[in-house]
Amino acid sequence: QVHLVETGGGLVQDGGSLRLSCAASVSIAIINAMGWYRQAPGKQRELVAQIPRGGDTNYADSVKGRFTIARDNVKNTVYLQMNRLKPEDTAVYYCNCNARVPPDYYANDYWGQGTQVTVSS
């Protein structure tokens, strides 16, 4: 099993910044993509940003140019730097990773518990 622990959410004013962190607690695993999703009240969960183990990152159009995703493969940690935050960024942010835990043959998706981000106008 892969246990994801998120930190860094909170309340910030319009135009402010926050940095989210998510550490994957696992002894042996092959972690593929890591990413962040968010869910606002009354809306479906949506992809915010994703970063594969190697390759190009992927961002939702609404956050391009404002958010930056990065990962540390040694620490099994993914980060989301959020700048120029807007009230419409208010949501619960969930960390996600796709990982294969031996001896399982297939990889599975794992989710964090979520962290609230609130941007006041």
Side-chain angles (χ1 to χ4, degrees):
Q1 289 295 320
V2 178
H3 184 54
L4 300 175
V5 178
E6 300 139 335
T7 56
L11 173 65
V12 66
Q13 288 188 333
D14 190 356
S17 298
L18 281 175
R19 186 184 191 225
L20 305 183
S21 299
C22 172
S25 175
V26 60
S27 57
I28 299 175
I30 300 170
I31 299 177
N32 301 313
M34 301 186 80
W36 292 92
Y37 288 70
R38 67 186 181 188
Q39 187 166 19
K43 294 187 176 181
Q44 289 189 333
R45 190 174 297 188
E46 63 174 0
L47 174 69
V48 176
Q50 190 175 56
I51 182 168
R53 189 170 186 86
D56 294 334
T57 54
N58 181 34
Y59 294 94
D61 288 342
S62 59
V63 308
K64 284 181 181 177
R66 300 187 298 122
F67 291 10
T68 303
I69 189 170
R71 67 187 281 176
D72 183 329
N73 290 329
V74 174
K75 295 181 179 180
N76 289 332
T77 300
V78 63
Y79 307 94
L80 185 69
Q81 178 66 43
M82 305 185 291
N83 298 328
R84 292 185 283 139
L85 282 159
K86 305 175 181 180
E88 50 263 44
D89 294 318
T90 295
V92 177
Y93 283 69
Y94 295 92
C95 176
N96 167 270
C97 83
N98 180 269
R100 183 172 73 86
V101 182
D104 290 350
Y105 183 79
Y106 296 102
N108 291 292
D109 279 334
Y110 296 89
W111 295 90
Q113 79 284 359
T115 184
Q116 178 70 45
V117 171
T118 303
V119 184
S120 63
S121 57

